[in-house]
């Protein structure tokens, strides 16, 4: 993911959010499914992960790959579910 997109995500730009979902949606779903073992709950967790990421967008480190940040959020959301 390029730095410009991450900066846009940090500003909560809708296009950047779509780009993040397209790039990392499968990864987030996979993490959630691994924890939950159910398709329906993993989908719910994936959606909630991106909502939580959106809410915390001002804390994203634009100099780093967002995958570990998103997988941590996904794991926590899945555990909460």
């Amino acid at each position: 993911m390029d730095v410009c997109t991450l900066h846009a995500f940090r500003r909560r730009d809708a296009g950047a959010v779509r780009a993040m979902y397209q790039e990392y949606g499968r990864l987030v779903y996979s993490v959630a499914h691994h924890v939950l073992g159910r398709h329906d709950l993993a989908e719910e967790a994936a959606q909630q992960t991106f909502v939580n990421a959106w809410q915390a967008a001002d804390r994203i480190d634009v100099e780093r790959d967002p995958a570990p940040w998103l997988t941590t959020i996904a794991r926590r959301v899945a555990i909460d579910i």
Side-chain angles (χ1 to χ4, degrees), residues 1-3 5-6 9 16-32 46-47 49-50 53 60-61 64-71 74:
M1 175 106 344
D2 66 87
V3 174
T5 303
L6 293 176
F9 180 82
V17 174
R18 280 191 296 277
M20 287 280 278
Y21 184 81
Q22 288 174 341
E23 181 77 20
Y24 298 103
R26 288 182 186 175
L27 172 65
V28 166
Y29 171 85
S30 176
V31 168
Q47 289 176 351
T49 295
F50 282 96
I60 192 170
D61 185 347
R64 298 179 142 194
D65 179 8
W69 182 67
L70 289 169
T71 57

Side-chain angles (χ1 to χ4, degrees), residues 9 17 20-21 24-33 36 38-56 70 73-78 81:
F9 180 82
V17 174
M20 287 280 278
Y21 184 81
Y24 298 103
R26 288 182 186 175
L27 172 65
V28 166
Y29 171 85
S30 176
V31 168
H33 192 270
L36 295 164
R38 286 181 44 190
H39 171 73
D40 58 332
L41 294 178
E43 283 186 347
E44 180 183 333
Q47 289 176 351
Q48 188 59 47
T49 295
F50 282 96
V51 169
N52 291 5
W54 170 265
Q55 291 170 341
L70 289 169
I73 295 170
R75 189 171 291 113
R76 289 178 180 167
V77 166
I81 288 175

